[in-house]
Amino acid sequence: MAESVVLDPVDLHLLRLLQNDARATYRDLAAQIGVAPSTCLDRVTRLRRAGVILGHQLRLDPAKLGRGLEALLSVQVRPHRRELVGPFVERIRALPESRTVFHLTGPDDYLVHVAVADMADLQRLVIDEFTSRREVARVETRLIFQQWECGPLLPPAPRTTGVEPG
């Protein structure tokens, strides 16, 4: 498990702001936080080096790109051996329809978020790219009606024991 990085309130505020708008300038961030722009630059540089900030992504609307139908594919791979699953994951990641791939515990081995043009395109994808593979034992498809982004990711709040100091 990766080691946590200690973050102070300025770091947390900076991360919250950047997750809401990664294009904000250091001057704008500094004004909102109440520090110098050079402090923001130094903090962001430190957070990148520590691996807290992994990069910046551009979010696109799949429907505007002709991929208005999204689904989650639960995939069971048999046998579940490294020499089979490595190439399977790389192949699935390379598909233009794939948005995210999760390796899971439980009865399903993978959950794949896909975006396709329509139901016929989804059927083609499942049959040609998933169930036709020898290592794929089962695919279960769930359509996504709607999705919402959640708030910024921050470290968990410190736990309290519920015991009053005595």
Side-chain angles (χ1 to χ4, degrees):
M1 184 150 92
E3 190 174 312
S4 297
V5 174
V6 177
L7 303 171
D8 66 18
V10 172
D11 292 330
L12 294 173
H13 196 174
L14 183 58
L15 290 172
R16 185 176 290 111
L17 292 171
L18 285 171
Q19 284 182 81
N20 289 327
D21 182 6
R23 296 181 306 162
T25 66
Y26 292 119
R27 182 177 28 214
D28 291 341
L29 293 168
Q32 291 180 65
I33 297 172
V35 297
S38 60
T39 300
C40 282
L41 174 61
D42 292 344
R43 296 283 183 127
V44 169
T45 301
R46 182 178 57 79
L47 292 167
R48 279 192 185 116
R49 285 189 183 132
V52 174
I53 297 175
L54 299 176
H56 304 278
Q57 293 182 332
L58 183 66
R59 289 182 31 223
L60 303 174
D61 182 343
K64 301 266 195 245
L65 297 173
R67 296 183 181 276
L69 181 64
E70 294 184 71
L72 297 173
L73 307 179
S74 300
V75 182
Q76 190 177 69
V77 175
R78 291 292 173 259
H80 196 176
R81 292 194 320 250
R82 190 172 303 278
E83 64 270 12
L84 292 176
V85 299
F88 169 77
V89 170
E90 290 311 308
R91 172 66 187 137
I92 299 311
R93 289 184 66 213
L95 294 172
E97 297 88 355
S98 294
R99 308 278 320 263
T100 310
V101 180
F102 299 95
H103 191 191
L104 309 171
T105 63
D108 296 316
D109 300 309
Y110 295 93
L111 183 65
V112 184
H113 177 193
V114 298
V116 295
D118 53 29
M119 200 60 96
D121 196 25
L122 179 60
Q123 181 181 25
R124 177 209 48 82
L125 178 71
V126 170
I127 292 171
D128 294 347
E129 300 295 345
F130 286 85
T131 60
S132 67
R133 298 185 63 91
R134 301 182 301 212
E135 67 273 25
V136 173
R138 184 179 63 78
V139 176
E140 193 171 298
T141 304
R142 290 175 179 84
L143 298 180
I144 298 173
F145 291 136
Q146 194 170 1
Q147 69 185 48
W148 296 268
E149 294 292 326
C150 297
L153 178 65
L154 297 172
R159 293 183 182 163
T160 58
T161 60
V163 177
E164 295 291 324

